Amino acid sequence: MSRDTYLRLSLPARIQRGVLIAAGRIPDAALSALGRRAPVNSDGERVAPELAAIGWANQHVPGLNPFEGEVDRSRTATDESGASMAENLPPMAVEEDLVIDGPAGPIPATRYRSSTESGGLLVYFHGGGFVTGSRISHDTFVRRLAHGTGLDVLSVEYRLAPEHPFPGGVEDAVAAWHFAVDVAPRWGLDPRRIVVAGDSAGGNLATVVARLVRDEPVTPVFQLLIYPVTDLSAQTPSRREFATGFFLTTDGIEWFNDHYVPDVEQRSDPRCSPLLADDLGGLPPAHVIVAGFDPLRDEGLAYAKRLEEAGVPVTLRREGSMIHGFVNMTLISPGARAAVDRMCAEVRRALDGAPPADQQSIAG
């Protein structure tokens, strides 16, 4: 049992969890009726009503938005939000807290294995704008990944800004990759079957690691990139269309960027803006997921296109009714649960060598 991923909720967070559990029990018929009044984006996609409610509350309820103000408060709010969304999932066969030797000190990590057998290893980097997020905030999701993929999952708690600005997180992510390669045989796993994965900022780190190690003897077999940050300087239509009201805001993005890479000139470095890399050739196959109501949607689409143009096998899934952060909202959202099931199936397919089940057009 992991001690590092357990959080005792504060009274407000326990109340929030009670509200969320009740929301998660709304019948499908009622959700469908509510959905007919939910906002529609410029591409004709309609947001899931339960996620629209989260976006509205995040914007209008004082103190609920975790992406502003003091960093310590934001981190606490992010962890409590993740813990308040925790699901009751089957127990793990293996669950252990670890410490990785990092370039600037210990890197905490937690390993999850869902059963006695495992098909490989998935190295996971959590989201949170390089400033917030932790193994606590993403505990439920990585458990879902372990159950859904049949792989061991190594959840990595890399250094965060502003205490450790760019490239601190990148350095820790690369160190975690090398640890995974070294430790895989001791866990009875093939180091040639290691996936790199992450959401948002973690998706950025996952693909940056894949590029930085591409000339090494052992490289990732696959990339799972969930609404990844790919260009810190992006000014895209989706950032304008979803500037407010859908959980992640453009003000929140700037708050993260100012902490992570305060020197604006550095934001074109491909280690923080992988979309701007000169050469993406030779990277492992990738599955890119974007959300229909996410300010980061367009840069995720652009990155999938760049990978394809570079000759990288890539599949794209556009979850049109979802908002940023939906992988942490499975407690209340049937659509989010279905989306997570699809990405787990894509990882299994990739490692089994089967053809893509549901590839969407990247060219648009």
Side-chain angles (χ1 to χ4, degrees), residues 314-356:
V314 57
T315 52
L316 171 69
R317 178 73 195 187
R318 179 166 171 151
E319 298 291 356
S321 65
M322 296 289 102
I323 65 174
H324 191 85
F326 72 79
V327 299
N328 293 325
M329 301 173 188
T330 50
L331 175 70
I332 67 165
S333 175
R337 292 193 292 273
V340 170
D341 288 345
R342 282 189 287 271
M343 65 182 74
C344 289
E346 193 64 24
V347 173
R348 295 196 308 271
R349 176 209 63 78
L351 268 64
D352 290 343

Side-chain angles (χ1 to χ4, degrees), residues 80-138:
E80 288 208 324
S81 176
S84 69
M85 292 267 197
E87 296 181 87
N88 292 320
L89 299 174
M92 293 285 134
V94 175
E95 186 176 340
E96 60 176 335
D97 297 322
L98 306 165
V99 176
I100 299 168
D101 289 334
I107 304 170
T110 300
R111 172 195 176 202
Y112 304 80
R113 177 181 286 188
S114 67
S115 66
T116 55
E117 300 294 326
S118 175
L121 177 59
L122 186 149
V123 181
Y124 195 80
F125 304 107
H126 64 77
F130 309 99
V131 177
T132 71
S134 68
R135 290 170 294 161
I136 291 172
S137 64
H138 284 66

Side-chain angles (χ1 to χ4, degrees), residues 38-108:
V40 176
N41 66 20
S42 60
D43 292 321
E45 296 162 324
R46 190 180 299 275
V47 68
E50 69 278 11
L51 302 186
I54 287 179
W56 183 92
N58 196 61
Q59 181 176 357
H60 295 286
V61 176
L64 200 58
N65 184 356
F67 310 139
E68 61 184 8
E70 295 296 324
V71 169
D72 286 346
R73 186 203 71 83
S74 181
R75 288 174 180 163
T76 298
T78 299
D79 282 353
E80 288 208 324
S81 176
S84 69
M85 292 267 197
E87 296 181 87
N88 292 320
L89 299 174
M92 293 285 134
V94 175
E95 186 176 340
E96 60 176 335
D97 297 322
L98 306 165
V99 176
I100 299 168
D101 289 334
I107 304 170

Side-chain angles (χ1 to χ4, degrees), residues 174-219:
V174 172
W177 164 257
H178 290 143
F179 170 83
V181 171
D182 291 342
V183 79
R186 299 204 299 270
W187 291 347
L189 304 174
D190 185 345
R192 296 168 299 179
R193 291 174 61 86
I194 304 179
V195 175
V196 287
D199 68 294
S200 194
N204 172 293
L205 292 174
T207 199
V208 166
V209 166
R211 188 175 63 82
L212 292 178
V213 305
R214 67 180 160 187
D215 295 323
E216 296 184 4
V218 180
T219 58

